[in-house]
Amino acid sequence: RPFVAERNGVCVFKNDIYYFYEITDPEQTAWIFGDRLAIHVGGQTTTLELDPSKLHKRMASDATWLSENYVMNADKKTLEAYRRIAKSDSAYIVYYKVGGKQRRHDLSATELQRIREMVELYDILRQP
């Protein structure tokens, strides 16, 4: 879930990695406590290392759902991966913990379009 923000007068491309799980999910992955995100597009894989101390966790009071997410500034390699996604008709991501669980998500046409729009917006706002 990329988005564009402003910080101290500078346009920043942000990366929001969001994992949501419902107890009725047939894959039964539950908590992953991910420390990596692999972005697969156009035959290339970009792996982001995540800082577990910045992981935000939530669980419903009745334990019917949970979520994990990270929000961070996109570095150069992350922005390059988003640019590849913006030019592609398909891509998928894998959120995982090294030596632990993982979850794959194929990006929908709507998600691909939103990424294209965020990359375009970022480029427009960065122009002098």
Side-chain angles (χ1 to χ4, degrees), residues 9-10 15 24 27 35 37 50 53 56 59 75 98 101 108-109:
V10 176
N15 187 19
T24 57
E27 290 190 41
D35 57 13
L37 181 78
L50 309 173
S53 72
H56 301 279
M59 180 187 286
D75 61 12
V98 172
K101 296 178 186 179
S108 69

Side-chain angles (χ1 to χ4, degrees), residues 34-104:
D35 57 13
R36 302 284 188 281
L37 181 78
I39 302 169
H40 300 267
V41 61
Q44 289 184 278
T45 301
T46 301
T47 302
L48 310 180
E49 293 186 26
L50 309 173
D51 179 354
S53 72
K54 297 186 180 185
L55 173 63
H56 301 279
K57 305 174 293 255
R58 290 191 59 211
M59 180 187 286
S61 59
D62 62 359
T64 57
W65 61 264
L66 59 86
S67 68
E68 301 177 22
N69 87 298
Y70 290 89
V71 178
M72 65 199 82
N73 292 348
D75 61 12
K76 185 178 177 180
K77 80 175 186 175
T78 304
L79 189 52
E80 288 172 5
Y82 276 116
R83 289 187 187 289
R84 284 195 309 278
I85 292 170
K87 294 176 184 175
S88 181
D89 291 329
S90 66
Y92 68 93
I93 57 175
V94 179
Y95 175 66
Y96 66 100
K97 179 169 184 65
V98 172
K101 296 178 186 179
Q102 68 176 20
R103 192 68 182 251
R104 174 184 165 145

